[in-house]
Amino acid sequence: MIKAIILAGGRGKRLGPITDTIPKVMVRIGGKPLLEYTIDLLRQNGIKEIILLVGYLSSVIQVYFIDGKKFGVNISYHEENSSRLLGTAGAVGRLRKEIKDTFLVLYGDILRELDIKSLLNFHKRKKGLATICVYKNCNTNPKSIVTFDKNERIKSFAERPQSVIQRSVWSNASLYVLEPEIFAYVPKDGPSDFGKDVFPKVLKEGQKIYAHKQE
């Protein structure tokens, strides 16, 4: 059974003073917290085993979602030490003993529409170590640039590039399908980020990562 890990520990300083009393993922849009939309999306796609990586004001999240039963899922929690932040990959890496099969990593502060079943079929068909969801980005200062060939195999991954020549690029959509072997690229102790550290290292070693286009 595929598990989904949702990164939900951020504060969201740019949303202050709203996030002075709630985590970023609990900001309400249309009457529901952002995180609830992500959990609904997973449930609608048949994924009911969810691990929430929490940190800032984690009790607000746990009081609202409890064990997930009233939302039709099973939720467990892992809390990050606020005095020693491990980054996106470092936080997920703490779960390496629990994850034995293909799994999802999502960022809980993003609203998205996606056929996750199709994404998982794509990943299974490509047989890569990882699949990264990407989207067409026309911003003048994209946070990431992903390039790939005609077979969707990723050639390069640049997090927060210093200069951008193209007006339109493919960027990281912050949703990954990963094989447990990815943990070999995540240090067991110390901070690590998927975009800055893990994916570039995996590509450098010639491992296959694929891009799933959200259009």
Side-chain angles (χ1 to χ4, degrees):
M1 183 177 293
I2 289 180
K3 293 183 178 180
I5 300 172
I6 303 178
L7 297 166
R11 174 172 181 169
K13 291 182 179 179
R14 288 177 294 180
L15 293 178
I18 298 172
T19 51
D20 289 346
T21 55
I22 59 172
K24 185 178 181 181
V25 297
M26 296 302 287
V27 171
R28 288 179 177 264
I29 304 290
K32 294 198 303 187
L34 275 167
L35 182 55
E36 188 173 343
Y37 287 98
T38 298
I39 290 172
D40 286 346
L41 177 66
L42 291 169
R43 186 196 68 251
Q44 291 162 9
N45 282 269
I47 297 171
K48 297 184 178 181
E49 297 299 320
I50 297 172
I51 302 172
L52 294 183
L53 299 186
V54 296
Y56 176 69
L57 294 180
S58 61
S59 61
V60 177
I61 298 172
Q62 296 186 49
V63 167
Y64 186 88
F65 290 103
I66 314 176
D67 59 5
K69 292 294 190 296
K70 69 176 182 179
F71 300 94
V73 297
N74 300 312
I75 295 176
S76 60
Y77 300 87
H78 282 257
E79 188 153 4
E80 189 170 11
N81 185 341
S82 60
S83 65
R84 191 169 182 267
L85 299 179
L86 296 175
T88 55
V92 173
R94 295 173 60 206
L95 304 174
R96 67 182 74 223
K97 291 183 179 180
E98 296 183 33
I99 304 298
K100 304 300 180 184
D101 299 299
T102 305
F103 65 104
L104 286 164
V105 172
L106 307 89
Y107 293 36
D109 58 355
I110 297 175
L111 281 175
R112 66 179 88 234
E113 292 183 7
L114 179 69
D115 184 344
I116 294 179
K117 293 178 181 178
S118 176
L119 166 64
L120 292 171
N121 287 334
F122 174 92
H123 176 79
K124 185 177 181 180
R125 187 170 68 251
K126 292 295 188 179
K127 301 184 186 320
L129 183 63
T131 295
I132 300 173
C133 284
V134 297
Y135 69 98
K136 208 60 174 288
N137 191 341
C138 297
N139 291 332
T140 56
N141 185 26
K143 292 183 178 180
S144 62
I145 298 178
V146 183
T147 65
F148 46 90
D149 62 22
K150 63 181 181 180
N151 295 314
E152 291 89 30
R153 182 172 175 177
I154 292 177
K155 299 188 295 182
S156 66
F157 186 108
E159 187 77 1
R160 299 191 180 278
Q162 293 183 347
S163 60
V164 180
I165 298 175
Q166 307 127 288
R167 289 189 176 182
S168 177
V169 300
W170 290 97
S171 288
N172 175 18
S174 302
L175 194 163
Y176 318 131
V177 187
L178 305 172
E179 295 301 318
E181 288 77 14
I182 197 77
F183 290 124
Y185 298 88
V186 181
K188 292 183 178 180
D189 186 36
S192 178
D193 182 81
F194 281 114
K196 293 179 182 178
D197 306 307
V198 175
F199 294 144
K201 185 176 181 181
V202 171
L203 291 172
K204 187 176 180 179
E205 294 195 7
Q207 294 280 6
K208 294 180 180 179
I209 304 181
Y210 288 92
H212 184 272
K213 295 182 285 187
Q214 293 182 221
E215 297 185 274

